[in-house]
């Protein structure tokens, strides 16, 4: 029984998720439900902050180490920020309480995913964190485009999940156990490579890495921007944590694994950045830029070092906060780039917050994205991936091209005759302010985070 | 509070205070910015006075652990090369604020950006940790982008984004160099002093490549031919204060990078025939090409912009020489060019404010219409062409001398020396067309400089004369630091 207490944060989140399904009966209705969800997520993070870590639980199926703690806190806090924002806004006119429940379910799944050290737990947690995401993406029930995007996402994601499951079954067959501690693909020959490749297909698709990224732009462009804000960030953090753990287990034995990851990295960086350049819908633009950022992450993953793994987890958090915030602004102002025109005059504080987030995504110091890229690229060079790193760095200059297009709209775009007036909302503004704070503090105050991820430069 | 930290962050406090001022009071931001700027300038003067000119090594050092897991420190210090540049940066910031007195569009934002720019510029010259250096290096891009993009000329959007992308492209290669040095077993630190000490132990082949990465980063900033195409666009579109700071300080960040990073940290590559020749030849081309293009300009501001390309070529020539005289000369040109070009851009800006044209043909005959402005412009032009007794002379003389003493082919030096002649030609021709002659209809209608404007340019005029007549006052700071650096490189 002792072990269950370590899952208290997940239990809090899960409990409130179930309560949120009955939001009609809660005080404050939808708004109260969202605030309650935010409070529960924050409480989960606070518990984690003070609770610390434990020995592996349930016979090693779940590990509650420092890395897991960091990722669980990040997932919980980002969910809290999203729910706080939601409490002041709505989901394109749809009622909110199901969105609150879905986000909390997904968040609980993500927190477990960060701790999984067993193939079964991995698969279950992965499904728990993505299943609510399908519904969130199709949240606008009457919108045909949204449903099409959601269906595409659902079908492709299920297909790749099954491919991954197929690969996992091979891994189980080859090593005779589902526990990470017992898995080794060393000296398994072609079958090991095939198993690793099948697993990677699944994970690439979930992470929207090229060449399995095609669902992302369509799904994002069909969905409500508020849904995209959640789905493109929170599950990505926990997913990346799972990828890191899994790769650390199966990569050492398979010689061609690095080539697979490296090819995915290069393809994602180039395709994502170049495809983002001409986009005029902010959701599509962020979808492609998400592919590019996954490419950078895979690059450090390819290095196969402790620094690389730590850098990946650091960067995914540094990426998630600003990109969630940008999608939230898109949800407030409208999905098209031109909807942002004149934002600087309408809402100057938001405009400057956008500048901070965009600069962070480009990798301009002193924001989090810069330090994230510093560690990523440092790890990649350390791992001997010199030309790939040069390519990554050149590609991040290309990314400045499209991020600046967004900035250009904000400051110099042609203001429409009657621009949309966004209502003031204290909770939404607070949520966005927290995103700015995270974007600044994660970079400058990187030291404790690097400690938690137990990575340091030589 | 330690002096260097205070000098860096006084403008940051100023920027924050300015940003919080009420929008309705459009007259307040400039006064606040000027106040903080003057405090910063005063602190820089204190630094100049308290600086021990004879001592070798870094002074006023401050060192704190910032991100120990990644070996990143908050490490500051100055030597004789950085002190004059830091002082110049604080001075030009004050003058840029004064020159912007009549800005009426979004003043809060404008003066916030100027002060943020000052944080980055000051920081670059005192940072001794590579990551910190890079942070300040990139910090200047953002405010300068906005200065050009919001308050610039008609093609400001194009010019600002071109400026940003070009310089970002250069600096990311610098980032690769920084990481590679850190990750190499013989490097292994972000401490720039330590890296300079360990520089010689790096394999030559490795140095050669890393020199190339840094070269891209710095050469775009300087800018050396053929990386200069962003400069004329940025200058022409930028508001006066932006041009002054861009030409006066930001270009020097590139050459400062060569002196602080490329030479001491990668001594074998810096001494290699390939890189000395590359830099030497490109420097000579920049000198002649910049001068030749300046000749052809009909736009007064573009002429000054291209003359900058030419003058920065002299700095690069001195750096390529690798001799005491050459590098002393390079640093002296950096300071002198900052002063003279700052003066020229200020005067061109003042004329433009009155005439709303920069066409040379339209603003002819300044001396008969507005004698003070005309006289000062002639003075700046003559200083720029390198007349002995004014600040433009000693640096270019020393760089040519150093280049002659070095292994660079005499042909490079002779071609570069011809550049001095060209500079005399295009500057005097400009003086003839703009300053002398009958006042054009536009010039006849304008008023001469007012007291505020004369106060702005007076310090630069005084410094031009002071450094020109008594350049050992500047070399007193620079020379020991340069000698120490070259000794560390094993070059002398």
């Amino acid at each position: 029984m002792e072990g269950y207490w370590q899952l208290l944060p997940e239990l809090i989140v899960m409990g409130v998720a179930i309560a949120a399904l009955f939001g009609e009966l809660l005080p404050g209705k939808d708004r109260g439900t969202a605030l309650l969800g935010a409070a529960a997520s924050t409480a989960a993070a606070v518990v984690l902050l003070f609770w610390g870590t434990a020995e592996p639980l349930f016979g090693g199926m779940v590990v509650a180490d420092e890395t897991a703690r960091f990722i669980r806190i990040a997932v919980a806090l980002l969910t809290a920020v999203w729910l706080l924002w939601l409490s002041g806004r709505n989901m394109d006119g749809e009622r909110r309480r199901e969105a609150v429940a879905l986000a909390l379910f997904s968040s609980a799944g993500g927190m477990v995913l960060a701790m999984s050290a067993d193939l079964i737990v991995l698969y279950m947690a992965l499904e728990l964190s993505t299943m609510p995401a399908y519904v969130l993406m199709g949240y606008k029930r009457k919108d045909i485009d949204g449903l099409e995007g959601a269906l595409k996402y659902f079908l492709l994601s299920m297909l790749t999940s099954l491919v991954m499951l197929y690969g996992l079954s091979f891994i189980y067959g080859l090593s005779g156990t589902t526990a990470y501690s017992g898995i080794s693909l060393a000296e398994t020959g072609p079958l090991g490579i095939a198993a690793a490749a099948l697993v990677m297909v699944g994970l690439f698709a979930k992470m929207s890495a090229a060449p399995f990224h095609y669902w992302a732009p369509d799904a994002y462009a069909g969905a409500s921007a508020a849904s995209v804000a959640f789905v493109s960030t929170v599950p990505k953090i926990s997913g990346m944590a799972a990828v890191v753990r899994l790769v650390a287990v199966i990569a050492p034995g398979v010689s061609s694994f690095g080539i697979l990851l490296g090819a995915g990295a290069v393809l994602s960086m180039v395709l994502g950045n170049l495809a983002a350049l001409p986009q005029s819908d902010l959701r599509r633009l962020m979808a492609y830029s998400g592919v590019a950022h996954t490419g950078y992450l895979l690059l450090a993953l390819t290095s196969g070092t402790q620094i690389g793994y730590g850098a990946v987890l650091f960067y995914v958090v540094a990426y998630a906060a600003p990109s969630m915030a940008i999608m939230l602004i898109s949800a407030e102002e409208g999905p098209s780039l031109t909807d942002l025109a004149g934002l600087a005059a309408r809402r100057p504080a938001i405009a400057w917050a956008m500048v901070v987030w965009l600069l962070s995504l480009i990798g301009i110091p002193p924001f989090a994205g810069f330090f994230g890229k510093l560690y990523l690229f440092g790890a990649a060079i350390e791992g001997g991936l010199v030309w790939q790193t040069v390519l990554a760095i050149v590609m991040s200059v290309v990314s400045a091209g499209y991020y600046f297009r967004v900035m250009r709209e904000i400051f110099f775009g042609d203001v429409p005759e009657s621009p949309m007036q966004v209502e003031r909302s204290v909770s939404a503004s607070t949520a966005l302010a927290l995103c700015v704070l995270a974007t600044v503090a994660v970079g400058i105050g990187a030291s404790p985070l690097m400690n938690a991820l137990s990575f340091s430069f030589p | 509070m330690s002096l260097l930290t205070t000098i860096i962050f006084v403008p940051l406090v100023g920027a924050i205070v300015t940003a919080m001022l009420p929008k309705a009071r459009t007259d307040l931001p400039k006064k606040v910015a000027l106040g903080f700027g003057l405090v910063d300038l005063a602190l820089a003067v204190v630094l100049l006075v308290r600086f021990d000119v004879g001592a070798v090594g870094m002074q006023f050092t401050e060192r704190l652990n910032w991100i120990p897991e990644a070996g990143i420190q908050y490490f500051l210090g100055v030597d004789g090369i950085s002190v004059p540049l830091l002082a110049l940066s604080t001075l030009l910031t004050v003058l840029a604020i004064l020159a912007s007195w009549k800005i009426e569009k979004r003043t809060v934002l404008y003066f916030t950006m100027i002060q943020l720019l000052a944080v980055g510029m000051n920081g670059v010259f005192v940072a001794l940790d590579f990551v910190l250096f890079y942070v300040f290096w990139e910090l200047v891009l953002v405010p300068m982008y906005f200065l050009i993009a919001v308050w610039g000329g008609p093609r400001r959007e194009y010019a600002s984004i071109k400026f940003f992308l070009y310089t970002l492209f250069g600096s990311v290669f610098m980032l690769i160099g920084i990481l590679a040095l850190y990750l190499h077993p013989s490097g292994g630190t972000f401490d720039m002093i330590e890296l300079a000490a360990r520089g010689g132990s790096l394999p030559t082949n490795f140095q050669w490549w890393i020199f190339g990465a840094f070269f891209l980063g710095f050469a775009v900033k300087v800018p050396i031919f053929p990386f200069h195409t962003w400069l004329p666009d940025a200058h022409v579109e930028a508001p006066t204060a932006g041009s002054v700071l861009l030409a006066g300080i930001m270009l020097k960040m590139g050459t400062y990078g060569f002196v602080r990073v490329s030479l001491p940290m990668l001594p074998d590559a810096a001494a290699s025939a390939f890189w000395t020749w590359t830099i030497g030849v490109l420097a000579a081309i920049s000198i002649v090409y910049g001068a030749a293009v300046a000749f052809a300009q009909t736009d007064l501001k573009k002429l000054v912009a291209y003359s900058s390309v030419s003058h920065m070529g002299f700095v690069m020539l001195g750096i390529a020489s690798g001799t005491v005289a050459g590098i002393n000369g390079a640093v002296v040109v950096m300071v002198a060019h900052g002063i003279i070009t700052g003066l020229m851009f200020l005067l061109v800006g003042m004329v433009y404010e009155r005439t709303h044209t920069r066409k040379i043909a339209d603003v002819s005959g300044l001396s008969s219409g507005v004698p003070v402005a005309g006289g000062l412009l002639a003075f700046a032009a003559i200083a720029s062409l390198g007349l002995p007794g004014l600040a433009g002379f000693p640096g270019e003389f020393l760089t040519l001398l150093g280049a002659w003493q070095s292994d660079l082919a005499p042909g490079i030096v002779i071609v570069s020396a011809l550049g001095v002649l060209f500079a005399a030609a295009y500057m005097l021709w400009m003086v003839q067309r703009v300053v002398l002659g009958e006042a054009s209809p536009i010039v006849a209608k304008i008023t001469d400089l007012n007291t505020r404007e004369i106060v702005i340019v007076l310090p630069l005029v005084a410094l031009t004369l002071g450094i020109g007549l008594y350049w050992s006052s500047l070399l007193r700071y620079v020379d020991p630091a340069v000698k120490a650096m070259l000794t560390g490189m094993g070059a002398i």
Side-chain angles (χ1 to χ4, degrees):
Chain A
M1 278 309 288
E2 182 67 21
Y4 283 101
W5 286 110
Q6 289 301 328
L7 296 179
L8 180 64
E10 284 77 7
L11 292 173
I12 296 174
V13 173
M14 200 66 124
V16 176
I18 293 168
L21 289 174
F22 305 95
E24 189 66 29
L25 305 173
L26 292 172
K29 303 274 168 71
D30 279 13
R31 180 177 159 77
T33 311
L35 280 175
L36 181 67
S41 286
T42 313
V46 170
V47 168
L48 281 165
L49 210 54
F50 291 104
W51 204 289
T53 54
E55 296 295 305
L57 313 168
F58 312 116
M61 290 177 94
V62 164
V63 287
D65 57 7
E66 275 289 346
T67 308
R69 186 167 84 139
F70 171 78
I71 295 296
R72 288 156 83 195
I73 292 176
V75 166
L77 285 182
L78 218 54
T79 308
V81 166
W82 188 78
L83 289 171
L84 184 62
W85 178 87
L86 188 65
S87 74
R89 303 275 181 228
N90 60 43
M91 301 279 293
D92 278 350
E94 301 279 346
R95 64 183 195 195
R96 284 169 289 182
R97 73 193 79 127
E98 282 84 5
V100 176
L102 291 167
L104 288 171
F105 278 126
S106 172
S107 161
M111 288 161 80
V112 177
L113 187 58
M115 300 193 289
S116 63
D118 185 283
L119 297 178
I120 306 274
V121 179
L122 167 77
Y123 189 77
M124 288 196 320
L126 192 61
E127 290 305 302
L128 180 56
S129 80
T130 46
M131 204 67 86
Y134 307 141
V135 190
L136 273 177
M137 294 299 269
Y139 203 75
K140 291 187 287 182
R141 289 169 295 144
K142 294 177 186 122
D143 184 278
I144 297 295
D145 288 344
L147 290 181
E148 188 206 322
L151 190 67
K152 215 177 214 175
Y153 176 35
F154 173 70
L155 288 177
L156 197 88
S157 193
M158 279 327 261
L159 180 70
T160 49
S161 280
L162 294 176
V163 172
M164 182 170 84
L165 200 56
Y166 191 47
L168 294 179
S169 71
F170 276 118
I171 294 178
Y172 172 61
L174 286 169
S175 22
T177 173
T178 56
Y180 284 8
S181 52
I183 291 176
S184 165
L185 293 185
E187 293 168 28
T188 50
L191 201 55
I193 298 173
L198 291 172
V199 172
M200 285 333 288
V201 168
L203 293 173
F204 271 29
K206 302 262 185 226
M207 299 289 103
S208 69
F212 303 99
H213 66 283
Y214 290 102
W215 62 271
D218 289 348
Y220 286 12
S224 137
S227 306
V228 178
F230 184 84
V231 173
S232 66
T233 52
V234 175
K236 200 162 194 164
I237 296 179
S238 48
M240 221 56 221
V243 170
V244 166
R245 277 196 207 281
L246 191 62
V247 165
V249 172
I250 60 177
V254 185
S255 54
S256 51
F257 201 75
I259 299 173
L260 282 178
L261 280 176
V266 169
L267 211 56
S268 303
M269 290 182 315
V270 175
L271 253 167
N273 277 317
L274 295 183
L277 279 173
Q279 300 304 327
S280 57
D281 183 309
L282 193 56
R283 294 166 301 183
R284 287 188 90 85
L285 188 148
M286 290 303 286
Y288 280 114
S289 98
V291 174
H293 285 281
T294 306
Y296 307 141
L297 291 167
L298 290 180
L299 186 65
L301 207 58
T302 314
S303 71
T305 56
Q306 178 67 37
I307 309 172
Y309 296 147
V312 166
L313 297 178
F314 185 92
Y315 189 77
V316 77
V317 175
Y319 157 80
S323 62
M324 172 186 273
I326 289 172
M327 284 324 296
L328 291 178
I329 298 299
S330 173
E332 292 181 352
E333 295 288 334
S336 165
L337 268 185
T338 48
D339 289 334
L340 295 174
L343 191 67
R346 272 201 312 279
R347 303 169 75 191
I350 293 292
W352 287 104
M354 283 290 276
V355 170
V356 169
W357 297 321
L358 291 167
L359 290 177
S360 179
L361 288 179
I362 300 173
I364 304 287
F367 305 116
F370 162 71
F371 288 93
K373 277 193 176 147
L374 183 72
Y375 307 140
L376 276 190
F377 296 156
I381 293 179
E382 165 100 293
L385 307 164
V386 177
W387 72 262
Q388 291 95 328
T389 311
V390 173
L391 180 70
I393 286 191
V394 172
M395 278 299 147
S396 45
V397 180
V398 171
S399 79
Y402 56 82
Y403 289 127
F404 260 89
R405 280 183 54 224
V406 182
M407 241 190 281
R408 196 199 148 275
E409 274 311 323
I410 293 173
F411 284 91
F412 316 112
D414 300 321
V415 186
E417 299 240 323
S418 54
M420 201 180 63
Q421 288 300 325
V422 178
E423 285 172 42
R424 285 177 166 274
S425 157
V426 175
S427 43
S429 305
T430 313
L432 294 168
L434 288 171
C435 286
V436 174
L437 184 70
T439 307
V440 177
V442 166
I444 295 173
S447 184
L449 305 183
M450 294 179 75
N451 255 323
L453 295 169
S454 66
F455 79 99
S456 59
F457 274 31
Chain B
M1 272 288 254
S2 318
L3 190 54
L4 293 182
T5 302
T6 319
I7 292 179
I8 297 178
F9 291 109
V10 161
L12 182 65
V13 176
I16 294 169
V17 172
T18 310
M20 290 190 302
L21 292 173
K23 281 231 169 56
R25 295 288 307 274
T26 48
D27 57 322
L28 267 185
K30 57 189 174 196
K31 290 175 187 160
V32 172
L34 180 65
F36 279 96
L38 285 173
V39 169
D40 217 30
L41 177 61
L43 289 169
V45 171
V46 171
L47 181 73
L48 275 178
V49 173
R50 282 179 42 196
F51 185 84
D52 183 356
V53 283
V56 172
M58 289 294 162
Q59 301 182 33
F60 298 96
T61 52
E62 298 169 32
R63 199 193 282 266
L64 289 170
N65 265 336
W66 179 13
I67 308 175
E69 289 79 8
I72 301 171
Q73 303 174 46
Y74 176 80
F75 180 23
L76 308 176
V78 282
D79 67 358
I81 297 171
S82 42
V83 155
L85 293 168
L86 177 63
L88 183 65
S89 161
T90 56
L91 173 66
L92 287 184
T93 304
V94 171
L95 300 183
I97 291 168
L98 278 169
S100 314
W101 217 245
K102 287 212 182 128
I103 293 271
E104 274 162 10
K105 182 178 170 192
R106 305 173 78 172
T107 47
V108 169
L109 186 58
Y110 182 88
F111 289 99
T112 307
M113 286 297 150
I114 293 256
Q115 291 178 89
L116 278 183
L117 191 62
V119 178
M121 294 188 307
N122 293 349
V124 162
F125 295 125
V126 296
L128 292 178
D129 179 277
F130 240 145
V131 175
L132 191 64
F133 178 80
Y134 190 81
V135 168
F136 287 127
W137 180 278
E138 296 283 66
L139 193 60
V140 299
L141 293 187
V142 181
M144 187 49 95
Y145 165 79
F146 279 105
L147 282 180
I148 300 174
V150 180
W151 294 273
R155 289 169 71 239
R156 55 181 185 256
E157 277 182 31
Y158 168 78
S160 56
I161 191 77
K162 186 172 178 183
F163 157 78
F164 194 97
L165 290 184
Y166 258 69
T167 39
L168 182 66
F169 182 79
S171 50
V172 292
F173 281 94
M174 179 167 101
L175 185 64
I176 296 183
I178 293 173
L179 281 169
L181 276 180
Y182 179 76
L183 294 167
H184 195 277
S186 302
T189 173
F190 287 126
D191 181 332
M192 292 167 77
I193 301 305
E194 195 57 41
L195 278 173
R198 293 179 197 173
S201 56
L202 293 164
T204 311
N205 189 31
F206 175 77
Q207 286 192 29
W208 197 91
W209 282 104
I210 301 309
F211 195 95
F214 281 115
F215 176 81
L216 274 179
F218 299 143
V220 172
K221 201 86 168 184
V222 172
I224 315 176
F225 177 90
F227 304 101
H228 65 281
T229 58
W230 63 269
L231 181 85
D233 285 313
H235 267 308
V236 170
E237 301 307 322
T240 300
S243 288
V244 169
L245 293 175
L246 191 60
I249 304 298
M250 283 174 66
L251 304 190
K252 276 73 197 173
M253 286 165 51
T255 45
Y256 175 77
F258 276 105
V259 176
R260 176 67 72 224
V261 175
S262 300
L263 296 186
M265 291 181 201
L266 307 160
D268 299 334
S272 71
F274 177 84
W275 283 116
T276 44
W277 272 81
T278 305
I279 297 179
V281 168
L282 289 180
I285 294 177
S286 298
I287 293 171
V288 175
Y289 172 84
V293 180
F295 244 116
Q297 294 311 314
T298 53
D299 181 314
L300 198 51
K301 211 170 178 188
K302 241 182 178 160
L303 184 144
V304 183
Y306 275 107
S307 86
S308 289
V309 175
S310 182
H311 289 296
M312 292 312 279
F314 282 101
V315 182
M316 293 312 299
L317 185 71
I319 288 167
S321 77
T323 56
V324 177
I327 296 173
N328 270 334
V331 180
V332 173
V333 177
M334 281 155 74
V335 176
H337 178 254
I339 294 167
I340 298 169
T341 307
L343 181 59
M344 291 204 83
F345 274 122
L346 284 172
L347 289 166
V348 170
M350 289 165 187
V351 171
Y352 178 77
E353 263 181 28
R354 292 166 164 74
T355 60
H356 299 286
T357 173
R358 289 186 300 255
K359 282 248 174 300
I360 290 179
D362 294 345
V363 293
S364 58
L366 286 180
S367 64
S368 51
V370 280
V372 179
L376 284 167
L377 190 62
F379 173 82
I382 289 167
S384 176
L385 65 82
L387 189 79
L390 297 175
F393 170 72
E396 292 183 4
F397 169 74
L398 284 173
T399 52
L400 288 169
L401 180 69
W404 189 260
Q405 290 167 343
S406 73
D407 299 333
L408 286 171
I412 294 179
V413 188
I414 291 167
V415 169
S416 305
L418 283 178
V420 182
L421 219 59
F422 291 151
Y426 69 76
M427 277 299 178
L428 289 177
W429 193 38
M430 186 274 281
V431 170
Q432 190 200 343
R433 286 180 295 168
V434 174
V435 180
L436 307 177
E438 281 296 304
S440 73
I442 299 177
V443 171
K445 273 183 261 169
I446 61 175
T447 53
D448 211 340
L449 302 190
N450 59 29
T451 320
R452 172 182 64 91
E453 289 167 326
I454 294 172
V455 167
I456 297 172
V457 294
L458 219 50
L460 295 179
V461 172
L463 279 173
T464 307
L465 276 169
I467 292 178
L469 293 171
Y470 189 51
W471 31 292
S472 60
S473 61
L474 179 56
L475 274 182
R476 226 159 51 96
Y477 285 94
V478 178
D479 185 59
V482 168
K483 282 201 176 112
M485 181 187 84
L486 287 170
T487 313
M489 288 169 65
I492 48 169

